[in-house]
Amino acid sequence: MKRTPTAEEREREAKKLRLLEELEDTWLPYLTPKDDEFYQQWQLKYPKLILREAASVPELLHKEVQQAFLTLHKHGCLFRDLVRIQGKDLLTPVSRILIGNPGCTYKYLNTRLFTVPWPVKGSDAKYNEAEIAAACQTFLKLNSYLQVETIQALEELAAKEKANIDAVPVCIGPDFPRVGMGSSFDGHDEIDMKNRAAYNVTLLNFMDPQKMPYLKEEPYFGMGKMAVSWHHDENLVDRSAVAVYSYSCEGPEEESEDDPQLEGRDPDIWHVGFKISWDIETPGLAIPLHQGDCYFMLDDLNATHQHCVLAGLPPRFSSTHRVAEVEFEWLRQFWFQGSRYKKCTDWWCQPMSQLEEMWRKMEWLTSAVLREVRREGVPMEQKNEMLTSILASITTRQNLRREWHARCQSRIARTLPADQKPECRPYWEKGDPSMPLPFDLTEIVSELRGLLLETRP
Ligand SMILES: O=C(O)CCC(=O)C(=O)O
Ligand SMILES: [Fe+2]
C-alpha cells in the first residue's frame, strides 16, 4: 500500500521534473581533475568540501580500517535496507551497518538504524565474535582520527574566511563594528566547531558493482552509474560535518591511466559527485576516490549542496562519520529490520524489551482514558476537550500502524531471507486477552468521532 506523498514531497518532485524537462536531452557540464577549471571551481564554489588523499593518513590506520571492513563483511554484518521513498518500498543497492555510541540511532529514508556499539569508555557491550568487537574498536579509532582532522579543517576554513573578509575593503566607520560579517564562524566558535565534529555514529556502506547490474544512470550530468543517488544527508545536527573514509578494493596494478581523449569521469574509478542544489549554472564536480582517500563536508555544505556516489569497477566500502540527532520512533523500526542486530551484538535486547514494557503500559493508559471519555456524567465541555486531544493522537497511531503493517507485508519484504524478514511488532490478534485494546483502531476512531459530534457546543 502506498502512502500519499506530503505536499512538500510533491512540490519537490514537481520542481525536480521541471528541472529535468528544462534540460531536455542536454547534459549539464561537470568537471573532473582532467579539466583546467577543476581546482579553481572547487575553491570558488565548493570551498567547504575537503579531500585528504590516502598518503596523508597513517599507514597503520589504513591497514586496520581496511581489515575491519573485510571482517564485518565476512561475518555478514552489512545489510541492504528496505527503505521507503515517496511511498515506495525499495531495497538499497548498497549494504550498510551503523556503528557508534551505545544507544544511538540514525534515521535515513524513513528507516532507523540502530548502532552496533563501539567500545567508548564505560561501555559494557558484548559481541558475538571477538573479530566483530575488534572491528568496532577500529572504527572508533578512525572516528577519533577523523574528528581531529575535521576540527583542523574547520579551523583552516575559518582562517581562510577571515582572510577573505579582511581582504575586502570595508567602508564603514568605527560606529559599525564588523561583527558577524555573514561568516558562520563568529564569536564562540571553538565550542561550535567541536560539537559539529563530535561524530557519534558511522554508517558503513558496501557495494560490489559486479553483483549489482541494475544501477541507475546519473540523470543531470551524465556522470554514469550511481551507487547512491543525489541526496543531502538527513537528520544531522545543524551545520555538523560529515567525514568519509573510502576504501575501493582496487589492486594497485589495475589503476587505469587517465586517457585525456576520453570525456568525463573514468567509469572504472569510484567518484563522489557534488552539485549545488537547484543550480544549473555552476558545473558539478566528480572527484575520484582512490583506496584510502578521505573527504569531508564541512559546515553547511551538506545543506546547500547535494552529493552522490558514482560506481567504479571494484567492490568498495566507505565509513561515513556523522553527528546524528536524537529522535524517537524506535520499536517498529527495530523489529522491521528482522533479527539482523543479533548477528553482531545483544546490546539492543534489553532496551527494546524495556521500551516494549513501557509501550504496553501506554496501551493500558490509553484504554483508561477511553473509559473516561465514554463515562456518563462528565461535563460536556470537559468531554469535548478530552475527545479532541485523544482523537488526534489515536488517529495518528492508527495511521502509523497501518503504514508499518503495509511496509512489513510489501512484496519486496517477502523476498528477504528469513533473518532479515520484517517483523510487525508490536502486533496482536483481535480478542487477545492480554491486550486492553485492539491493534486495529479503526472502530475506536469512528466511535470517538461520533462522540465528539455529540459534544459539539
Ligand atoms: O560512500 C560515500 O562516499 C558516501 C555515501 C553517502 O553519501 C551516504 O551514505 O550518505
Ligand atoms: Fe550521503
Side-chain angles (χ1 to χ4, degrees):
M1 199 193 315
K2 270 198 192 176
R3 180 179 62 90
T4 341
T6 63
E8 198 190 338
E9 281 171 344
R10 272 203 309 271
E11 197 179 317
R12 210 175 328 125
E13 194 55 19
K15 201 169 160 191
K16 203 167 87 186
L17 283 178
R18 277 202 300 278
L19 201 66
L20 277 168
E21 250 164 49
E22 213 174 300
L23 298 177
E24 290 182 2
D25 38 25
T26 61
W27 295 126
L28 292 173
Y30 76 96
L31 302 171
T32 74
K34 282 188 289 190
D35 299 294
D36 295 334
E37 322 94 275
F38 177 76
Y39 294 100
Q40 192 196 356
Q41 278 290 328
W42 183 342
Q43 205 172 28
L44 210 61
K45 302 287 181 154
Y46 302 82
K48 293 172 180 177
L49 165 64
I50 310 292
L51 179 73
R52 291 271 185 270
E53 289 185 54
S56 74
V57 179
E59 194 49 42
L60 193 63
L61 188 59
H62 280 308
K63 284 232 164 67
E64 252 187 77
V65 168
Q66 296 177 8
Q67 185 58 53
F69 277 124
L70 296 172
T71 298
L72 293 175
H73 187 255
K74 182 182 80 181
H75 286 286
C77 300
L78 293 100
F79 297 93
R80 298 173 67 185
D81 291 314
L82 184 46
V83 298
R84 200 164 166 88
I85 309 177
Q86 286 161 18
K88 284 201 203 103
D89 299 293
L90 299 167
L91 206 51
T92 58
V94 170
S95 307
R96 300 196 154 103
I97 178 176
L98 187 73
I99 302 177
N101 287 355
C104 252
T105 72
Y106 178 62
K107 187 168 146 184
Y108 86 103
L109 299 177
N110 299 308
T111 302
R112 179 176 303 287
L113 299 179
F114 296 75
T115 53
V116 173
W118 51 32
V120 287
K121 271 200 199 83
S123 151
D124 57 351
K126 287 182 208 46
Y127 302 86
N128 294 359
E129 299 281 344
E131 281 186 343
I132 295 178
C136 291
Q137 179 153 31
T138 296
F139 284 104
L140 177 59
K141 198 191 264 189
L142 177 63
N143 196 61
S144 313
Y145 174 80
L146 292 174
Q147 189 174 345
V148 171
E149 290 294 306
T150 305
I151 293 171
Q152 195 191 328
L154 282 170
E155 280 165 357
E156 284 167 16
L157 183 65
K160 227 189 279 173
E161 285 195 355
K162 187 169 181 307
N164 281 345
I165 292 167
D166 291 346
V168 177
V170 183
C171 310
I172 43 175
D175 295 346
F176 297 91
R178 279 166 38 214
V179 282
M181 288 284 292
S183 163
S184 39
F185 304 107
D186 38 15
H188 39 258
D189 352 327
E190 198 83 349
I191 302 167
D192 279 354
M193 253 184 224
K194 293 239 162 81
N195 288 338
R196 291 171 186 169
Y199 304 128
N200 50 13
V201 297
T202 176
L203 181 59
L204 266 52
N205 295 316
F206 171 77
M207 200 189 86
D208 181 353
Q210 246 59 333
K211 302 207 170 111
M212 216 44 78
Y214 304 111
L215 294 177
K216 269 200 211 144
E217 289 284 335
E218 192 288 311
Y220 302 105
F221 304 88
M223 289 172 167
K225 301 274 182 225
M226 296 185 294
V228 183
S229 309
W230 289 110
H231 67 283
H232 305 273
D233 288 350
E234 308 171 79
N235 300 315
L236 301 178
V237 165
D238 191 38
R239 283 181 184 270
S240 63
V242 176
V244 179
Y245 181 98
S246 179
Y247 172 36
S248 38
C249 311
E250 57 206 10
E253 71 288 348
E254 278 169 44
E255 227 162 273
S256 58
E257 276 296 306
D258 259 1
D259 184 348
Q261 308 287 283
L262 284 178
E263 283 267 303
R265 67 116 177 166
D266 183 342
D268 293 356
I269 305 276
W270 284 81
H271 289 67
V272 59
F274 277 90
K275 72 184 196 52
I276 304 181
S277 309
W278 310 120
D279 177 336
I280 53 173
E281 306 289 314
T282 312
L285 292 187
I287 297 173
L289 295 172
H290 294 287
Q291 193 169 93
D293 287 348
C294 298
Y295 66 89
F296 300 79
M297 298 190 264
L298 301 184
D299 197 43
D300 59 352
L301 178 75
N302 177 50
T304 55
H305 294 58
Q306 286 170 302
H307 58 284
C308 70
V309 182
L310 303 161
L313 224 41
R316 173 195 183 249
F317 292 92
S318 68
S319 178
T320 67
H321 299 248
R322 306 157 193 250
V323 191
E325 269 181 345
V326 180
E327 274 192 81
F328 299 95
E329 188 195 61
W330 286 21
L331 270 178
R332 294 194 185 282
Q333 290 273 7
F334 184 82
W335 294 110
F336 181 70
Q337 293 164 55
S339 52
R340 68 159 78 171
Y341 294 101
K342 280 197 212 138
K343 262 249 152 83
C344 298
T345 178
D346 63 358
W347 197 91
W348 286 99
C349 293
Q350 200 263 340
M352 280 299 147
S353 55
Q354 212 175 333
L355 197 56
E356 196 167 283
E357 215 28 67
M358 289 194 267
W359 168 86
R360 197 177 294 275
K361 287 203 179 108
M362 196 173 69
E363 282 293 297
W364 284 97
L365 276 177
T366 310
S367 75
V369 174
L370 285 178
R371 228 175 301 126
E372 186 62 14
V373 296
R374 286 175 186 136
R375 194 162 61 83
E376 306 272 323
V378 179
M380 274 303 166
E381 202 177 328
Q382 203 182 328
K383 205 165 195 170
N384 181 284
E385 242 172 62
M386 282 199 290
L387 280 164
T388 310
S389 59
I390 195 176
L391 182 57
S393 66
I394 297 256
T395 307
T396 310
R397 198 180 290 181
Q398 168 65 4
N399 288 343
L400 283 169
R401 276 185 193 172
R402 199 181 307 168
E403 178 174 336
W404 280 101
H405 191 62
R407 273 184 85 170
C408 292
Q409 304 275 319
S410 80
R411 198 179 305 184
I412 195 155
R414 293 176 205 198
T415 66
L416 292 173
D419 60 338
Q420 292 175 48
K421 277 248 186 328
E423 182 180 353
C424 184
R425 176 167 169 179
Y427 181 83
W428 61 104
E429 295 294 340
K430 220 174 172 166
D432 183 331
S434 70
M435 296 303 292
L437 295 173
F439 175 84
D440 184 343
L441 298 167
T442 315
E443 279 171 27
I444 292 182
V445 168
S446 24
E447 180 200 345
L448 291 178
R449 284 205 187 117
L451 285 174
L452 189 60
L453 281 179
E454 286 170 21
T455 63
R456 279 274 148 81

